[in-house]
Amino acid sequence: MPQPPLPPSQPTAGRHTRLERAEGDLQHCLLCDRSRGGLCNGVDRDGLEALAHSSRRLVLPPGSTMVEEGQTAEAFFNITRGTVKLFKSLPDGRRQITGFADPGQFLGLSRSGLYAFGAETVDTVHACRFQRPQFEALLNDQPDLKRNLLAAVTDKLAEAQEQMLLLGRKTAREKVASFLLGRAQAEQTMRGDTPPDPMPVASVPMTRVDIADYLGLTIETVSRTISALRREKLIASTENHGIRLLSPDALRQIATGQGAG
Amino acid sequence: MPQPPLPPSQPTAGRHTRLERAEGDLQHCLLCDRSRGGLCNGVDRDGLEALAHSSRRLVLPPGSTMVEEGQTAEAFFNITRGTVKLFKSLPDGRRQITGFADPGQFLGLSRSGLYAFGAETVDTVHACRFQRPQFEALLNDQPDLKRNLLAAVTDKLAEAQEQMLLLGRKTAREKVASFLLGRAQAEQTMRGDTPPDPMPVASVPMTRVDIADYLGLTIETVSRTISALRREKLIASTENHGIRLLSPDALRQIATGQGAG
DNA sequence: CGCGCGCTTGACATAAATCAAAAGGCGTGG
DNA sequence: CCACGCCTTTTGATTTATGTCAAGCGCGCG
């Protein structure tokens, strides 16, 4: 458990060094691109036009700040490529990453009018940005959009509850195993099609600092734990900052607290 | 941080012994009672009739199970009196309480059709229950209801993010201070009217076990920490399982990691 | 080719967990 | 009404998982 006077976890600076993930084509925005259906879709022809006019495509380098905690909430985003980290911080710099937003995810809802969290790109991110007033107006016009958004937020809430269980009650080993499984799931969801589950690979574009801040651990503990899993041949590193899950079942056991060892 | 083979945290058995909180009158359901406006209200005359017919009033004793993790999601609740705990568990019995639902709160949304969490009453709870299909039908008819529900879930998500920061990055002392402030806030919200902030009292109807499972600590650590705060004259116990905050500002400092000591 | 940054590994420190026991509350039954 | 018994809570002693401090390594970039 962390001690009060922690050195601030620095925001990840330029990791331009990291290879770009060799994903397929640029993904399209789930909201304003008419060639796709998707989670948040539910927009009729007129709405589509409105969205197309009020939206703007963005390409952001790694380490870009997308929203700042406490800022007035002016925009709503749909991620189309890359990964964004969402986080909350304490005044002394301690930080908790509350989630990673992968392609297809939205980001930027707020009830108070101020963002309750910060968001920063992990790698190069493509996103579609909507101005808040226009987006909210649209929300009122488009009942299906509203329903899909409600469903999406409900999902996020369930994820958050799962993460609370992890943060409050899991050991370091269980946390790391859970994280890897989640990232493998994310990888698979991103590709969507492709074969089901031969030997999954976790997409890990983030640094150890980010992983530690996500799991409520230190980078040393994360590193040691990953090393241990590698030593035990449960995982193996790939090129491209991926981690191959050599024994997903064993990892699942560990992640749910039933792990041997 | 918890170790793997923890003894199961038992669900609170009969604590019928606890005094009933002497709240004012029975609260009304925010959804189906026409005499009030409120968070989730946004229902027209016809909707109100539909709600009134599909809803049922419940009175549940302390320790009642309202929903079970993994169960098919058949109902949606609005709490009108008392406090409910929501939680997730690991197979070996470790448990994380993800939140407490006080009067005015809803509970029971699910996207998958299965509840992702368990819910159990802390004290005597009055609630209004809606059957899921009827509730969902209504949701489609009532755009304002949908919008209010979206806002409510968005709030819950922000709360969850705050709790993740607490679980992952705060010390025991900071966790307890945050908890007490949150409960004082809940107490004030419940009363709604009444004077603003003379010397707040935290409503603490739950046991040490529940507090520990909410904060990701053990009961011993919770007890020791509360004792320390009491020794330091920052808090004092009241009758009725309340805790008076003698120095809310100092507690706020502690809760945000700026605490002296 | 050497500096900086991210990662790993080792040695040691500590906040919180675990183990243990006593003290306080409350209902029950004599 | 009091005494017994079952919980819950508190407090103390000790252990431990994880944090902290400190090198050292690898790799890309200037």
Side-chain angles (χ1 to χ4, degrees):
Chain A
M1 207 124 290
Q3 282 55 260
L6 281 184
S9 352
Q10 294 302 336
T12 307
R15 272 168 64 89
H16 306 250
T17 296
R18 289 193 173 267
L19 298 173
E20 293 299 310
R21 279 180 290 167
E23 292 162 37
D25 301 303
L26 175 67
Q27 309 274 331
H28 296 284
C29 177
L30 290 178
L31 282 173
C32 65
D33 188 280
R34 103 176 40 207
S35 67
R36 319 199 121 218
L39 186 62
C40 284
N41 219 319
V43 179
D44 66 21
R45 198 155 308 268
D46 289 350
L48 213 51
E49 293 308 320
L51 273 170
H53 283 97
S54 70
S55 70
R56 182 151 166 217
R57 301 304 178 93
L58 304 177
V59 179
L60 303 161
S64 311
T65 296
M66 292 180 71
V67 324
E68 246 166 322
E69 191 172 346
Q71 228 180 17
T72 70
E74 294 180 334
F76 180 83
F77 301 88
N78 187 281
I79 309 302
T80 56
R81 188 174 185 181
T83 300
V84 176
K85 56 192 180 200
L86 311 184
F87 55 88
K88 291 193 60 105
S89 303
L90 290 168
D92 63 6
R94 278 175 284 170
R95 192 179 64 154
Q96 178 65 40
I97 292 183
T98 58
F100 294 104
D102 293 298
Q105 307 276 25
F106 63 83
L107 125 70
L109 272 190
S110 153
R111 183 153 147 61
S112 69
L114 302 179
Y115 292 122
F117 53 87
E120 214 177 286
T121 57
V122 167
D123 48 11
T124 297
V125 164
H126 296 227
C128 210
R129 189 182 73 197
F130 305 92
Q131 292 305 320
R132 171 159 290 272
Q134 288 140 52
F135 184 73
E136 298 215 328
L138 198 73
L139 214 52
N140 288 327
D141 283 3
Q142 307 281 331
D144 283 359
L145 175 58
K146 213 187 295 180
R147 187 162 46 98
N148 286 333
L149 201 53
L150 177 58
V153 182
T154 302
D155 261 359
K156 285 285 178 202
L157 189 56
E159 261 178 50
Q161 290 168 340
E162 186 68 39
Q163 192 68 2
M164 287 191 252
L165 177 61
L166 178 149
L167 290 169
R169 291 304 187 201
K170 289 187 183 177
T171 64
R173 187 176 167 86
E174 291 162 356
K175 286 176 174 182
V176 169
S178 303
F179 168 72
L180 292 173
L181 288 166
R183 293 308 304 173
Q185 180 65 49
E187 175 70 21
Q188 200 157 312
T189 303
M190 275 191 284
R191 287 184 303 186
D193 34 27
T194 53
D197 205 24
M199 179 117 24
V201 172
S203 158
V204 187
M206 60 291 287
T207 66
R208 293 287 182 269
V209 174
D210 288 340
I211 300 172
D213 282 350
Y214 180 57
L215 300 179
L217 298 171
T218 60
I219 58 173
E220 292 95 333
T221 298
V222 170
S223 186
R224 275 188 250 274
T225 307
I226 290 181
S227 295
L229 293 175
R230 191 182 299 126
R231 231 184 346 264
E232 297 167 43
K233 300 267 186 281
L234 296 175
I235 62 176
S237 300
T238 71
E239 72 305 339
N240 288 332
H241 301 282
I243 293 183
R244 187 175 306 280
L245 310 191
L246 301 178
S247 182
D249 289 341
L251 287 170
R252 260 184 287 273
Q253 293 277 112
I254 294 169
T256 54
Q258 303 162 294
Chain B
M1 206 123 291
Q3 281 55 260
L6 283 183
S9 355
Q10 294 302 337
T12 307
R15 273 169 64 91
H16 305 249
T17 296
R18 287 193 174 267
L19 298 173
E20 292 301 310
R21 277 179 292 166
E23 290 162 41
D25 302 302
L26 175 68
Q27 307 276 330
H28 296 283
C29 177
L30 290 178
L31 281 173
C32 64
D33 189 279
R34 104 175 40 205
S35 67
R36 319 199 121 218
L39 185 63
C40 282
N41 219 321
V43 178
D44 66 20
R45 199 155 306 268
D46 288 348
L48 213 51
E49 294 307 319
L51 273 170
H53 283 98
S54 71
S55 69
R56 182 151 167 218
R57 301 304 180 93
L58 303 177
V59 179
L60 302 160
S64 310
T65 295
M66 291 180 70
V67 324
E68 246 166 322
E69 192 172 344
Q71 227 180 18
T72 69
E74 294 180 334
F76 180 84
F77 301 88
N78 187 281
I79 309 303
T80 56
R81 186 173 188 184
T83 301
V84 176
K85 57 191 179 201
L86 311 184
F87 55 87
K88 293 193 57 105
S89 303
L90 290 168
D92 64 5
R94 278 176 285 170
R95 191 179 65 155
Q96 178 64 40
I97 291 183
T98 58
F100 294 104
D102 293 298
Q105 307 275 26
F106 62 83
L107 126 69
L109 272 190
S110 154
R111 184 154 146 62
S112 69
L114 302 181
Y115 292 122
F117 53 86
E120 215 176 286
T121 57
V122 166
D123 48 12
T124 297
V125 165
H126 297 225
C128 209
R129 189 182 74 195
F130 304 92
Q131 291 305 319
R132 171 159 289 273
Q134 288 140 51
F135 184 74
E136 297 216 328
L138 197 72
L139 214 51
N140 287 328
D141 282 4
Q142 308 279 332
D144 284 358
L145 175 59
K146 214 189 292 181
R147 187 162 47 97
N148 286 333
L149 200 53
L150 176 58
V153 181
T154 301
D155 262 359
K156 285 286 177 199
L157 188 56
E159 262 179 51
Q161 289 167 341
E162 186 68 39
Q163 192 68 2
M164 286 191 254
L165 176 62
L166 179 149
L167 290 169
R169 291 305 186 201
K170 288 188 182 177
T171 64
R173 186 177 169 86
E174 292 162 355
K175 287 176 174 183
V176 170
S178 303
F179 169 72
L180 293 173
L181 288 165
R183 293 309 303 172
Q185 179 64 48
E187 176 70 18
Q188 200 159 312
T189 303
M190 274 191 285
R191 287 184 303 186
D193 33 27
T194 52
D197 207 21
M199 179 109 37
V201 172
S203 158
V204 187
M206 60 290 286
T207 66
R208 292 286 181 269
V209 174
D210 287 340
I211 299 172
D213 281 349
Y214 180 58
L215 299 178
L217 298 171
T218 60
I219 58 173
E220 292 94 332
T221 298
V222 170
S223 185
R224 274 188 252 276
T225 307
I226 290 181
S227 295
L229 294 175
R230 190 182 299 126
R231 232 186 345 264
E232 298 167 44
K233 302 266 186 280
L234 297 175
I235 61 175
S237 299
T238 71
E239 71 305 340
N240 289 330
H241 302 282
I243 293 184
R244 187 175 307 280
L245 310 192
L246 301 179
S247 181
D249 289 341
L251 287 170
R252 260 184 288 273
Q253 292 277 112
I254 294 169
T256 55
Q258 303 162 293

